Structures are given as C-alpha cells and as structure tokens.
Amino acid sequence: MTTSLDRATGRHRGLVDVATGLALLGCVTLGALLRFPGYSQPQEQWPAVAIAAATCLALLRARAHPRTVATVAMAGTVATLAQGYIPTPLMLAPLMLALYWVAAKTERRTARVFGLAAMAVVVISAMLDNPTTDMLLLRTVGPVLWLLLPLVGGSRARLRTAYLESVQARAAYAERTREEEARLRVAEERMRIARELHDVVAHHMAVANAQAGTARHLVPIRPEQALKLLDELTVTTSAALIELRATVGVLRQSGDPDAGSLEPAPGLDRLPELVSTCASAGLDVVLTTEGEPRPLSPGVDLTAYRIIQEALTNVTKHGAGRGADVRLTYARTRLLISVTNDGTAAAVPQATGAGAGTGTGSSSGSGFGLMGMRERAHSVGGDLRAGPRPDGGFEVTTALPLHSLAPEEPEAAA
C-alpha cells in the first residue's frame, strides 16, 4: 500500500526531474548558440534543440531505466554532433546526467561499459565530422574528462546508498536480535520464578499438610502434642510466607521504596532447619556429610538446597516409608548429593504434577518436581538422576560442581 509520505516523495522527485530536464534543455540551447573563432557550426539550432528535448524527456525515466535512457542519450548526442557541433559540456549535459544515473543505479561493471561506450562514440563522432586538427583537444580529451565526472559522482552516490542500506540492515538486525534476546530472557526469568515458587510452595505446603493431619488425629488422645504440632504449623506457614515474600520481592524494581530488604537465598547452611521442619511433619531424616565441606558459589549452594528440599517434599507427599537419608559427599571438584527414601514407594498417578516421580516407583521422571530439579542441576553445569532402588524405595542423586559453570542466576544473588 502506498503511503502519503511515499506519494509526496514521488511528487517531489517528479518536480525535480522536470526542472532538471528544462535546465539541461537550456544548456543544450546555449551550447548550440555558442560560436568559436575559426570553427564553423550550423546556423540553425532547432534540430539540436529538438533532439535535446527528446533526450530530456527520456531522462524523466532515468531513475527507473538508467540503461535504456543512457542508450537514448548516446544516440541523441551522436545525432547532435553529426550536425557539426563541438562536444562542449553544454552539448553533453543530457548524456552526462544519463551516465550519472547509470553509475548510481547499476553495478560497477555496467557503469564502466556504458562510460567507455559513451566516450568512444562521442570522440569518434567529433573526429568523423571534422577530421582536421582544429580544436583537437576540445574534441578528444575534453569529452573524456567531462564524461568521467558523472561516472565518478554516480559511483560515489551508489556507494553511499549501499552504505546507508547496510547500516539500516544492521540496525534492523540488531533490533530483531535485541527483541529476541529480550523474549528469551523473559522466558528464562519466568521459568526461574515458577521453579522457585514451586519449590517454596510445594515444600512448605506438604509439610504443613502433614502437620495439620497429624495434629487432627492427636487432638482426642494427646492434646498437648497436638498443640505443639499446631505451634510448629504456625512456624512452617510463617517460613513459607517469608520465602514467598523474598521470591516475589525480586520482581520489584530496585527503586521501589516498598521493596524493603530481602532475605538471602537459602543454602546448605539451612539444612538443619529443613531437617527439623521435616521431622515435625513425621519424616525421620538422617543427614550425613562425607569429606571436608568446601565453600560453594551462590548458585550451586541454592541449587543444592532446593534439590534436597524438593526430594524431601516428595518423600513427605508420596513416600510410603517415613524415613529418608540425605548424604553430602565433597569430592575434589564436585559435590555429590544423594536423597534416599528407605520405604516402598506408594503408587501415585503420573498426573500428580509437582511431586510425581520421586516418591513413586516409576522411573519415567515425569512431573514438575523432577523437571525442576533437573533444570536446576543443568543450570549450574551439574547432572541429576532419579529412579526406584533395586531393594525398594526411591533415590535422587546429583553431582554439582563446586563453582557454577554458567553465569549465576539472579535469584542466587537476591
């Protein structure tokens, strides 16, 4: 669809081309009127003016058809010089403009061919009309130099146009790349936030559900122990709210006055608190550390904690046994983590979503829980395996580098 700007630009170019054609016609008319001492020219100028008018009319289409117009201009110039005119710049003006458009709109080889052809026909026509040595330089060297000017100018215009087009193409490509990168970053950020929220909500809600259910059964027979479990339930839900606030707070802008200070991201130093929380839900967790503990990068520390948290959550939700073993092994360059459920897994449908897989006897690894753990392990350059044990139960093992092999996630620096 043609826009109003395109139509306005087209009208503007048309007016410029018409004005240029009239100016060139005036140049040829003036050149036909000039007289040189010792050199006779035709007395009547109207044939040269008529030929020039036809050539200038063709020049109106020089932008769209430069080769055809240049051919017409060469024919008109030859016909004019055949009448006995000297090839002055005024007489060659239409041909010079035609060569300019050839050099500006076509490739270099085409411009060179048309330029050499124009020089040859002009010089030959001037020499055949008057083979004497009168004004020899004006009829030979002069046309060559004058016709070189539009060729050089058109070549510079073509190079400048190509440069501007390349700059615009690079800018458009950079804009598309920025948009695509921004979309990828948004998708990655949404995935990180969803994974973090899942880990926080799934763990705390599973523990709170177990505590509430146990307290309900203990109210008639052991009210004191039920009240203690209710107190622990309050602590569990408070911890869930704090972690949710810290996770959602990352979404706030840095200049938001209501953002407040955020809690540091959890790490392996909070494992005793995690074990205590699981114990209040009735899950007996045994924590074993082998090797000398070494400092971890923030991303690896958070990943290790979240993997253990999710594995224990799945044991709480789906494991038939009420015990779990957590083993941390510090090797030379890696941290090996193993979370084992010592009971026989209960059958849980694959559609259970977040918890599916870890506490079941299926090794398919479906569900968001195992998916999130694998994504976390891969994000720092590690690996994770999960599946049923030969002697019953379920096991999650992961090997993480001590320092992340990928850029630290923003959530790790919260």
Side-chain angles (χ1 to χ4, degrees):
M1 180 179 293
T2 304
T3 63
S4 59
L5 179 60
D6 295 334
R7 290 193 295 269
T9 303
R11 289 195 298 269
H12 178 71
R13 288 180 178 177
L15 294 176
V16 171
D17 291 341
V18 171
T20 303
L22 293 176
L24 293 177
L25 182 59
C27 291
V28 174
T29 303
L30 180 60
L33 293 175
L34 291 179
R35 293 292 180 266
F36 296 92
Y39 192 90
S40 60
Q41 291 193 138
Q43 297 297 322
E44 296 184 357
Q45 291 80 32
W46 69 266
V49 175
I51 296 173
T55 304
C56 292
L57 186 63
L59 284 173
L60 297 178
R61 304 293 297 170
R63 296 177 187 268
H65 307 283
R67 299 178 182 86
T68 303
V69 174
T71 303
V72 172
M74 280 191 285
T77 303
V78 170
T80 302
L81 297 179
Q83 300 177 31
Y85 292 99
I86 295 179
T88 61
L90 295 176
M91 301 299 296
L92 297 178
L95 178 59
M96 293 172 66
L97 182 60
L99 291 179
Y100 171 85
W101 287 118
V102 169
K105 297 294 185 179
T106 63
E107 62 275 6
R108 182 183 303 177
R109 182 176 180 180
T110 302
R112 188 179 302 161
V113 170
F114 272 85
L116 292 176
M119 295 174 191
V121 297
V122 169
V123 172
I124 293 174
S125 298
M127 293 300 298
L128 289 178
D129 177 67
N130 191 351
T132 63
T133 58
D134 297 338
M135 299 184 178
L136 184 62
L137 292 179
L138 189 61
R139 290 183 292 151
T140 55
V141 179
V144 173
L145 296 179
W146 296 324
L147 294 179
L148 278 176
L149 294 178
L151 292 173
V152 174
S155 298
R156 289 178 60 87
R158 175 176 52 82
L159 293 177
R160 179 175 176 79
T161 302
Y163 171 74
L164 293 178
E165 289 178 353
S166 66
V167 170
Q168 293 174 356
R170 286 197 300 269
Y173 176 76
E175 185 67 23
R176 289 195 303 270
T177 304
R178 281 196 300 270
E179 292 177 356
E180 182 177 357
E181 183 177 358
R183 285 195 297 269
L184 290 177
R185 287 183 178 274
V186 169
E188 292 175 357
E189 187 66 18
R190 290 178 59 186
M191 183 65 67
R192 282 195 294 265
I193 294 171
R195 188 168 57 232
E196 189 71 11
L197 288 175
H198 166 266
D199 291 346
V200 172
V201 173
H203 169 70
H204 288 290
M205 292 301 101
V207 173
N209 181 67
Q211 290 173 338
T214 305
R216 180 176 178 275
H217 288 289
L218 291 177
V219 166
I221 55 177
R222 297 180 183 178
E224 297 83 4
Q225 190 173 354
L227 289 175
K228 181 180 178 180
L229 281 176
L230 292 177
D231 292 337
E232 293 176 352
L233 176 61
T234 303
V235 174
T236 301
T237 54
S238 298
L241 291 175
I242 291 174
E243 287 206 38
L244 283 174
R245 179 179 179 274
T247 303
V248 177
V250 176
L251 301 177
R252 292 183 179 271
Q253 299 179 359
S254 59
D256 191 345
D258 298 330
S261 59
L262 302 179
E263 246 192 20
L268 293 182
D269 57 335
R270 292 180 56 179
L271 277 184
E273 179 184 344
L274 178 62
V275 171
S276 175
T277 303
C278 292
S280 67
L283 180 64
D284 185 14
V285 181
V286 178
L287 179 61
T288 306
T289 302
E290 297 180 357
E292 182 181 357
R294 298 184 181 182
L296 306 175
S297 63
V300 176
D301 199 16
L302 173 63
T303 299
Y305 178 84
R306 290 303 189 197
I307 289 176
I308 296 173
Q309 182 188 51
E310 178 62 22
L312 293 179
T313 300
N314 289 335
V315 173
T316 303
K317 294 168 62 178
H318 307 303
R322 305 310 298 168
D325 293 330
V326 178
R327 184 179 301 274
L328 304 178
T329 304
Y330 287 89
R332 182 178 179 183
T333 59
R334 302 181 78 80
L335 170 63
L336 306 178
I337 301 175
S338 173
V339 181
T340 306
N341 177 17
D342 59 359
T344 302
V348 179
Q350 294 299 328
T352 52
T358 301
T360 71
S362 172
S363 60
S364 63
S366 63
F368 296 120
L370 285 179
M371 185 188 304
M373 287 192 285
R374 287 196 179 96
E375 289 175 352
R376 285 187 180 276
H378 294 164
S379 68
V380 296
D383 191 19
L384 184 138
R385 296 179 181 273
R389 302 171 62 195
D391 53 351
F394 203 87
E395 183 177 26
V396 176
T397 59
T398 181
L400 304 177
L402 297 181
H403 299 280
S404 176
L405 302 181
E408 297 296 340
E409 296 183 353
E411 62 189 36

